[in-house]
Amino acid sequence: MQLILQNLIGGLQMGSIYALIALGYTMVYGIVKLINFAHGDVMMVGSYVVYWVMTTSVITALSQTNPAVAIALAVLAGIVFCIVLGILMDKIAYKPLRNAPRISALITAIGISMTLQITIQLIFGSSQLKFPNIIPSIVLFKVGRKPVKLLEVLTTVISIALMIGLNFFVKKTRTGKAMRAVSEDQGAAQLMGIDHNKIVSITFAIGCGLAAVGAVFYAQKVVYIKPLLGSMPGLKAFVAAVLGGIGSIPGAVLGGFIIGIAETFMKYYASDYVDALVFGILILVLLFKPSGIMGHKVREKV
């Protein structure tokens, strides 16, 4: 029983991170039917921005007197940078391809991913860098012999709070309702006066902002950051989005937690096959339930 609880706690932590990243995939797909494969690299860029801000002389000096403010400024800078990056990606790369074949947008997404990775390598180098210790390594309690640290609890609690906030935003606010309208019927939404391009930019901004939060938690967990940091978490978050039902916000959250928990249990029993398990889940979903757990079948006219 203790072993199950230990793995469950670790699974919730990773699941929270995957869910935050998966929300970006599922929101963008729900609005413009685009799989943004550069999303994991946006997360990677966010971690580097936080690293850079934390190592500047001003923030370093501030951290000596008021560490909480220094950390808050660094994290806020990472979130704002990723939001701006997401909007620019949409305006420059994706907007001109709104009416192009989907394969064009997909190839563009892969190109953006490579561009972000190469740019970070040119600026920071290809070697891994130690991420600043933003969240203190404090043990809150123990489950059996396993210490449960502040990072694990904060990751889960803050992620769930953000997901609840996003759900409220989408269901209750004017902009959220506009997002749902564009997702349901883009043409009808435009006839009702909804600015489609503005809604898409907002969607990119929200998804990239959440990815930046996930970047902080993930980088703090793995300790070191590198230009390829976002590749594997991004792919696993994509699997989570597909598993939950891509286009469904609750589905992305559910898929993230399932992947995180399954991965944590697999690491304990057969760590060499963790990645195989995750992508095996993707294959099974595509074979037996392509719409995902909470997705809806869509009939397309030919």
Side-chain angles (χ1 to χ4, degrees):
M1 186 63 181
Q2 287 183 352
L3 178 60
I4 293 175
L5 287 175
Q6 291 169 7
N7 287 322
L8 185 61
I9 291 170
L12 288 174
Q13 180 189 14
M14 288 308 303
S16 299
I17 296 171
Y18 292 148
L20 285 175
I21 306 171
L23 285 170
Y25 280 110
T26 204
M27 289 175 66
V28 169
Y29 184 84
I31 300 292
V32 292
K33 300 298 182 287
L34 164 69
I35 298 175
N36 181 21
F37 277 121
H39 193 63
D41 295 290
V42 171
M43 170 196 132
M44 175 271 296
V45 170
S47 69
Y48 270 91
V49 172
V50 175
Y51 165 84
W52 177 77
V53 173
M54 285 295 294
T55 53
T56 57
S57 57
V58 175
I59 298 299
T60 301
L62 180 61
S63 64
Q64 301 298 323
T65 56
N66 201 330
V69 174
I71 291 169
L73 289 174
V75 173
L76 182 62
I79 294 172
V80 171
F81 190 92
C82 285
I83 288 174
V84 174
L85 177 60
I87 294 173
L88 290 177
M89 281 169 50
D90 173 52
K91 295 290 186 184
I92 297 172
Y94 295 133
K95 185 179 178 181
L97 300 175
R98 290 278 195 264
N99 299 317
R102 291 186 187 179
I103 188 66
S104 301
L106 181 62
I107 294 171
T108 301
I110 296 172
I112 294 172
S113 172
M114 296 179 67
T115 300
L116 292 176
Q117 292 176 12
I118 293 170
T119 302
I120 290 296
Q121 288 186 44
L122 291 173
I123 297 172
F124 294 96
S126 58
S127 301
Q128 61 182 15
L129 303 172
K130 187 174 182 180
F131 193 74
N133 188 24
I134 292 177
I135 302 173
S137 183
I138 300 173
V139 177
L140 297 180
F141 56 91
K142 288 187 176 182
V143 177
R145 294 183 179 179
K146 176 181 169 55
V148 178
K149 297 182 179 180
L150 178 63
L151 174 62
E152 294 173 296
V153 175
L154 275 182
T155 302
T156 304
V157 171
I158 293 177
S159 298
I160 291 175
L162 288 172
M163 294 167 201
I164 293 173
L166 176 63
N167 189 60
F168 176 84
F169 174 82
V170 170
K171 289 189 174 181
K172 300 296 182 181
T173 66
R174 184 183 182 89
T175 303
K177 292 177 181 177
M179 290 169 66
R180 288 160 57 197
V182 172
S183 177
E184 289 291 333
D185 192 323
Q186 178 182 328
Q190 288 179 314
L191 291 174
M192 294 298 292
I194 296 174
D195 188 341
H196 172 252
N197 289 321
K198 179 181 178 182
I199 294 301
V200 173
S201 293
I202 291 173
T203 303
F204 268 92
I206 294 173
C208 291
L210 292 173
V213 177
V216 174
F217 290 131
Y218 186 76
Q220 188 73 85
K221 178 178 174 59
V222 299
V223 181
Y224 290 93
I225 58 175
K226 55 185 178 180
L228 296 177
L229 177 77
S231 298
M232 191 55 70
L235 287 173
K236 290 179 180 178
F238 169 68
V239 174
V242 173
L243 173 61
I246 194 161
S248 168
I249 291 176
V253 175
L254 177 62
F257 281 117
I258 291 175
I259 293 296
I261 292 170
E263 180 184 81
T264 304
F265 275 92
M266 191 66 177
K267 279 182 180 178
Y268 182 81
Y269 293 105
S271 59
D272 293 338
Y273 301 98
V274 171
D275 294 340
L277 169 70
V278 174
F279 296 114
I281 290 174
L282 174 62
I283 293 171
L284 291 174
V285 171
L286 293 176
L287 284 174
F288 298 104
K289 203 175 191 305
S291 59
I293 297 172
M294 303 184 72
H296 301 286
K297 290 184 179 180
V298 178
R299 295 182 180 274
E300 295 186 6
K301 294 182 180 180
V302 179

